[in-house]
Amino acid sequence: MVSLPMSPDDLLPSDEAVLEIAEVARRLGVSAGKVRNLIAEHHLLAVNRDGTPMIPEVFLDGSEVAKHLTGLIDVLIDGGFDRNSAMRWLFTAQDDIGEYPARALHSHAAREMIRRAQALAL
């Protein structure tokens, strides 16, 4: 695996688009409180930028949370990853597919990312 450059503030590649909670709430058609609950329950992960929680835009697919994201986060957390470690893994490039797991969730490689996360948990 090859690591992408991470911004020092938040574990994401510096060019990764992020959204504020209010924008995520608007896109999902829920309240900001519901988005905060999704983060607290590990259905979404967020980073802190200047004291503001920000959600990577890649975690959304239109007006929904990306199909396999919640399951993938569950596998990582249940496998002993903390939030920061899970976020770092989600944004670490996988050489053989040429992208990182968070992006792969939007492709045919989504189930492979879940398998890899399960293997890490063993």
Side-chain angles (χ1 to χ4, degrees):
M1 288 187 276
V2 174
S3 294
L4 295 173
M6 299 287 181
S7 67
D9 297 347
D10 60 29
L11 308 172
L12 296 181
S14 58
D15 62 344
E16 188 64 35
V18 293
L19 303 168
E20 292 186 6
I21 286 178
E23 176 60 16
V24 173
R26 186 190 68 72
R27 288 189 184 192
L28 298 178
V30 299
S31 69
K34 173 66 176 172
V35 173
R36 289 181 195 284
N37 285 341
L38 291 171
I39 294 167
E41 295 168 357
H42 301 127
H43 296 291
L44 281 175
L45 294 176
V47 294
N48 186 347
R49 287 201 174 157
D50 299 321
T52 302
M54 305 293 278
I55 294 98
E57 187 172 24
V58 72
F59 287 172
L60 301 182
D61 191 8
S63 62
E64 298 179 348
V65 173
K67 183 176 179 181
H68 298 286
L69 178 66
T70 300
L72 183 53
I73 293 170
D74 285 345
V75 168
L76 292 169
I77 298 293
D78 290 349
F81 282 64
D82 62 21
R83 290 173 189 230
N84 287 345
S85 298
M87 186 72 84
R88 187 176 312 282
W89 187 82
L90 286 164
F91 289 93
T92 298
Q94 306 287 306
D95 288 338
D96 58 332
I97 63 168
E99 61 188 345
Y100 44 85
R103 288 234 179 265
L105 291 175
H106 299 276
S107 73
H108 66 281
R111 292 191 191 280
E112 175 61 21
M113 293 302 101
I114 293 170
R115 281 192 288 277
R116 290 178 188 195
Q118 288 169 332
L120 290 171
L122 295 178

